[in-house]
Amino acid sequence: MIDNYIQPEEIKIDETLSLVKYYPNYKRTLPWYQDAELCKQVDNRDGVYDRQRLSCMYRYLAKTGECYYIKIREKGRSRLIGDITLYNGEIAVVVSRQYQNRHIGRKAVEALLKRAKDVAWTKVEAEIYDFNKQSRKMFLSIGFKQIAPERYCIEL
């Protein structure tokens, strides 16, 4: 929750993508966080999440900011394929492996940066590990600048 602002239930990105306000759906999200390589990319951790850790993470993110699922519509079906959060002046994004390299993360980040501007944030930071070249390249292409090792910032 961002003080003094009501989180939208959905942010439409385009005809196939939207951001949907977080609600508990661990059956769909837990598999993302049981992918060891994905956990390394986003959290720099060698272990995977269990349901309790995932639940705690989502509750914290929803309480301290705005947490959304990334939803895609393909072949007449909608499915959740990742999550994205604005919290404590930062943005974090996770896209399940089978949907990476399709510019979905970029579109989701751009949509949430618009939301950050709407709620009067003047800048947004991101933590991106040096080994995560894919995320670093995407954030830099959007306009983020490196401000410290593994820290990036964009002025809105």
Side-chain angles (χ1 to χ4, degrees):
M1 180 170 119
I2 297 175
D3 290 340
N4 303 317
Y5 291 91
I6 297 171
Q7 181 177 356
E9 294 295 319
E10 185 169 15
I11 298 172
K12 189 166 176 61
I13 297 173
D14 62 28
E15 64 280 346
T16 62
L17 286 174
S18 62
L19 305 179
V20 179
K21 184 177 176 179
Y22 162 77
Y23 60 92
N25 188 343
Y26 307 119
K27 180 179 177 184
R28 181 67 188 135
T29 60
L30 187 58
W32 310 331
Y33 288 95
Q34 291 189 328
D35 177 333
E37 192 173 322
L38 187 76
C39 289
K40 183 71 172 173
Q41 274 182 332
V42 298
D43 287 335
N44 195 18
R45 55 181 282 128
D46 292 322
V48 297
Y49 283 59
D50 60 20
R51 185 184 160 109
Q52 180 181 0
R53 182 176 181 87
L54 185 63
S55 172
C56 288
M57 178 198 75
Y58 276 130
R59 282 195 318 266
Y60 171 78
L61 293 173
K63 182 179 177 183
T64 60
E66 291 187 356
C67 185
Y68 298 89
Y69 294 123
I70 302 168
K71 182 174 81 172
I72 192 167
R73 183 155 183 83
E74 291 181 311
K75 300 176 185 171
R77 293 189 60 214
S78 293
R79 65 185 301 131
L80 304 179
I81 60 164
D83 58 58
I84 188 165
T85 305
L86 282 176
Y87 68 104
N88 297 334
E90 294 190 34
I91 192 168
V93 61
V94 173
V95 177
S96 62
R97 185 180 318 285
Q98 63 268 36
Y99 287 91
Q100 291 182 2
N101 299 312
R102 293 172 53 180
H103 301 290
I104 293 168
R106 172 189 313 273
K107 290 177 182 179
V109 168
E110 289 172 339
L112 220 49
L113 289 175
K114 288 178 188 168
R115 173 69 180 154
K117 195 172 185 176
D118 289 346
V119 297
W121 286 15
T122 57
K123 68 178 184 172
V124 175
E125 293 190 13
E127 181 175 36
I128 307 165
Y129 301 107
D130 287 337
F131 58 82
N132 193 342
K133 293 176 182 11
Q134 180 180 339
S135 286
R136 189 175 52 207
K137 182 179 175 183
M138 185 268 294
F139 275 88
L140 288 170
S141 74
I142 291 172
F144 279 77
K145 306 283 187 229
Q146 188 169 9
I147 58 171
E150 300 183 342
R151 296 296 296 172
Y152 295 77
C153 182
I154 190 168
E155 301 288 329
L156 302 175

